């Protein structure tokens, strides 16, 4: 074997290692529920650290597969990476972003980068499972309070959601399909909430039925779907939308089954739900407390850093109070109110990300989740499954369903639009800073060449 062949083999092995590190970075982002633009942006930054020229680098992202190709006039190297264990881990997304910059600024070797990446992958979550379940329970209790319940119903909804969350976790541990796990959890939560309505402890006994399964609401996939579609990552966006629809469908199936078995015998339940008021009757500070509790609960589900819980709580307060003010005080309705609530939070987060050094979605998504229109969703669902042939039933059911869909879409748009425009506005500055850091690294003789 000639020296040239030995050198070519060593270069090929080095390139494969670089591509492997690049793909492992992308896989961590995909499986942590980062939006596609962030995945591509971070992978390109890591590729710059690895010395892979951007004009010769090709990255393709899908929901279950990553493909990276490096090619020039004479060679072409491709590598694939399967992405299977999807979840939500905001801390991992933040840490990968910081690592990509740190590797450039501190001249990390490949071994150092791999070691730091492995630490992020193997790092335990910020909250133990039962603490996350408690957070999820109180998040749903916060939802219930936002729907107008009393504090006893808040506690009942929290307990039902806690049990449902743990049921879903156990189902996942047993290897049950993710969508079936969601359906089972929704069924258990709804049955418990209905049983609690007979306790006589609350003056609003039916409100927990509206909130007990809302820990399942796929807020992150939904907002990522809107982001991806606006950023022209259509295939990934459509896949995220389909996954969101499957999760909502599984939740609806579990709720419908519970209603069929438990609730439909109570002929007054439809009237009770139709009479639930959508107009706030508590002081603003009560809704602020409920919004903060719900936002912090979802932050724990999303594995956000503990130091940011109070920040997200303030974001939830701003979102809900803005929504209520625009909706009821100004009279623009829930659709525009929800859009403005999420828009204001996202606009503030554009600046706040520089204060707390985290990605935009880490602050915005948990903050806007408390605005999910649970009452309208349940009215639509119950209207469809409880039809008796009365004129106008279909119209009312679809009216509530369309309204809830529009509100959810506007929440996602309100989060996405300021972030996208801000990202494009500061992209040139980031690119300039990256080029300056790479130039400094070359001057230090530490640049890793392809």
């Amino acid at each position: 074997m000639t020296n040239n062949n030995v050198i070519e083999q060593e270069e090929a092995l080095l390139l494969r290692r670089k591509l492997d590190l690049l793909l492992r970075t992308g896989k961590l982002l995909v499986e942590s529920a980062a939006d596609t633009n962030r995945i591509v942006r971070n992978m390109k930054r890591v590729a710059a650290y690895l010395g892979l020229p951007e004009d010769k680098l090709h990255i393709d992202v899908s929901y279950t597969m990553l493909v990276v190709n490096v090619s020039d006039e004479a060679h072409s190297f491709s590598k694939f990476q399967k992405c299977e264990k999807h979840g939500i881990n905001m801390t991992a997304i933040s840490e990968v972003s910081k690592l990509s910059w740190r590797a450039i600024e501190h001249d990390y070797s490949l071994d150092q980068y791999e070691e730091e990446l492995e630490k992020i992958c193997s790092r335990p979550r910020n909250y133990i499972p039962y603490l996350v379940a408690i957070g999820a329970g109180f998040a749903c209790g916060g939802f219930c309070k936002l729907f107008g319940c009393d504090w006893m119903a808040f506690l009942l909804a929290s307990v039902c959601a806690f049990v449902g969350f743990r049921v879903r976790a156990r189902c996942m541990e047993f290897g049950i399909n993710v969508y079936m796990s969601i359906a089972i959890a929704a069924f258990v939560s709804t049955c418990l909430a209905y049983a609690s309505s007979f306790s006589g402890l609350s003056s609003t006994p039916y409100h927990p039925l509206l909130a007990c399964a809302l820990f399942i609401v796929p807020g992150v996939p939904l907002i990522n779907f809107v982001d991806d579609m606006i950023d022209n990552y259509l295939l990934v966006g459509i896949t995220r939308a389909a996954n969101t629809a499957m999760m909502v469908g599984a939740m609806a199936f579990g709720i419908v089954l519970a209603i069929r078995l438990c609730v439909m015998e109570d002929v007054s339940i439809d009237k009770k739900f139709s009479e639930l008021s959508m107009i706030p009757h508590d002081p603003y500070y009560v809704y602020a407390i409920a919004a903060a509790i719900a936002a912090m609960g979802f932050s724990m589900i999303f594995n956000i850093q503990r130091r940011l819980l109070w920040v997200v709580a303030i974001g939830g307060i701003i979102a809900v109070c803005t929504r209520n003010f625009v909706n009821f005080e100004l009279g623009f309705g829930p659709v525009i109110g929800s859009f403005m609530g999420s828009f204001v939070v996202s606009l503030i987060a554009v600046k706040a990300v520089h204060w707390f050094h985290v990605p935009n979605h880490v602050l915005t998504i948990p903050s806007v989740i408390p605005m999910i229109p649970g009452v309208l969703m349940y009215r639509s669902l119950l209207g469809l499954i409880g039809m008796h042939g009365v004129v106008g039933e279909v119209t009312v059911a679809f009216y509530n369903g369309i309204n809830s869909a529009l509100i959810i879409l506007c929440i996602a748009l309100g989060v996405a639009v300021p972030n996208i425009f801000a990202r494009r506005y500061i992209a040139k500055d980031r690119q300039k800073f990256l080029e300056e850091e790479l130039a400094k690294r070359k001057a230090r003789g530490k640049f890793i060449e392809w």
Side-chain angles (χ1 to χ4, degrees), residues 47-83:
Y49 150 73
L50 294 171
L52 302 173
E54 186 173 349
D55 59 329
K56 298 176 182 178
L57 179 68
H58 312 280
I59 300 173
D60 182 53
V61 179
S62 69
Y63 191 69
T64 57
M65 182 71 72
L66 283 172
V67 182
V68 173
N69 172 266
V70 178
S71 58
D72 56 19
E73 296 79 6
H75 304 91
S76 180
F77 296 88
S78 297
K79 197 169 178 63
F80 297 76
Q81 178 66 60
K82 190 75 172 174
C83 304

Side-chain angles (χ1 to χ4, degrees), residues 78 158 217 245 249 279 332 334 385 411 426 441:
S78 297
S158 299
V217 171
I279 301 175
F332 284 103
I385 67 175
I411 291 172
I426 64 177
R441 195 165 191 228

Side-chain angles (χ1 to χ4, degrees), residues 17-325:
R17 187 184 181 193
K18 290 181 180 180
L19 294 181
D20 179 67
L21 289 174
L22 184 59
L23 284 170
R24 285 169 61 187
T25 303
K27 176 185 178 182
L28 181 57
L29 291 169
V30 171
E31 294 185 343
S32 299
D35 61 280
T36 307
N37 187 284
R38 172 166 294 279
I39 295 168
V40 173
R41 193 166 68 246
N42 277 248
M43 289 183 70
K44 285 183 177 180
R45 193 183 307 136
V46 172
Y49 150 73
L50 294 171
L52 302 173
E54 186 173 349
D55 59 329
K56 298 176 182 178
L57 179 68
H58 312 280
I59 300 173
D60 182 53
V61 179
S62 69
Y63 191 69
T64 57
M65 182 71 72
L66 283 172
V67 182
V68 173
N69 172 266
V70 178
S71 58
D72 56 19
E73 296 79 6
H75 304 91
S76 180
F77 296 88
S78 297
K79 197 169 178 63
F80 297 76
Q81 178 66 60
K82 190 75 172 174
C83 304
E84 297 175 316
K85 299 179 180 179
H86 293 276
I88 302 174
N89 190 339
M90 296 292 187
T91 296
I93 295 173
S94 299
E95 291 302 318
V96 168
S97 180
K98 293 176 183 177
L99 174 61
S100 63
W101 287 110
R102 198 164 63 243
I104 295 172
E105 294 171 357
H106 297 287
D107 300 324
Y108 278 12
S109 66
L110 295 183
D111 289 336
Q112 285 177 297
Y113 181 86
E114 185 174 19
E115 181 182 352
E116 292 297 317
L117 185 64
E118 185 59 35
K119 286 180 181 178
I120 298 173
C121 293
S122 58
R123 180 174 299 166
R125 295 179 73 89
N126 297 323
Y127 313 95
I128 61 175
Y130 274 94
L131 188 58
V132 176
I134 292 171
F138 279 117
C140 292
F143 265 118
C144 196
K145 188 61 185 173
L146 289 172
F147 298 156
C149 75
D150 58 23
W151 287 108
M152 183 53 67
F154 164 89
L155 291 175
L156 293 174
S158 299
V159 172
C160 296
F162 169 83
V163 174
F165 190 89
R166 286 305 304 160
V167 166
R168 186 180 69 165
R170 296 298 294 174
C171 288
M172 298 290 290
E173 291 171 8
F174 289 143
I176 299 175
N177 176 273
V178 60
Y179 302 115
M180 185 57 67
S181 299
I182 289 172
I184 294 171
F187 173 81
V188 171
S189 295
T190 305
C191 288
L192 287 175
Y194 179 68
S196 72
S197 67
F198 295 101
S199 66
L201 299 174
S202 170
S203 60
T204 54
Y206 293 105
H207 281 73
L209 281 163
L210 302 176
C212 63
L214 288 181
F215 61 85
I216 301 169
V217 171
V220 175
L222 179 62
I223 293 172
N224 282 343
F225 148 66
V226 176
D227 262 354
D228 289 346
M229 297 300 284
I230 295 176
D231 281 328
N232 207 34
Y233 295 105
L234 301 181
L235 291 178
V236 186
I238 291 171
T239 305
R240 291 188 196 271
N243 181 51
T244 299
M246 289 290 290
M247 293 176 72
V248 172
M251 181 177 70
F253 175 80
I255 294 169
V256 169
L257 184 60
I259 290 172
R260 285 292 185 188
L261 293 179
C262 303
V263 180
M264 292 305 291
E265 296 299 324
D266 186 351
V267 295
S268 67
I269 191 69
D270 291 334
K271 183 179 179 182
K272 294 290 185 183
F273 276 114
S274 64
E275 290 176 352
L276 289 177
S277 176
M278 297 288 289
I279 301 175
H281 54 271
D282 286 325
Y284 266 79
Y285 76 87
V286 173
Y287 288 100
I289 294 171
I293 292 172
M296 287 192 291
F298 274 98
S299 297
M300 295 169 72
I301 297 174
F302 301 158
N303 196 40
I304 288 176
Q305 297 96 318
R306 294 172 185 266
R307 66 183 177 87
L308 298 175
L309 287 178
W310 69 272
V311 180
V312 173
I314 293 175
I317 292 170
I318 293 172
V320 170
C321 290
T322 301
R323 187 270 311 270
N324 287 355
F325 180 78

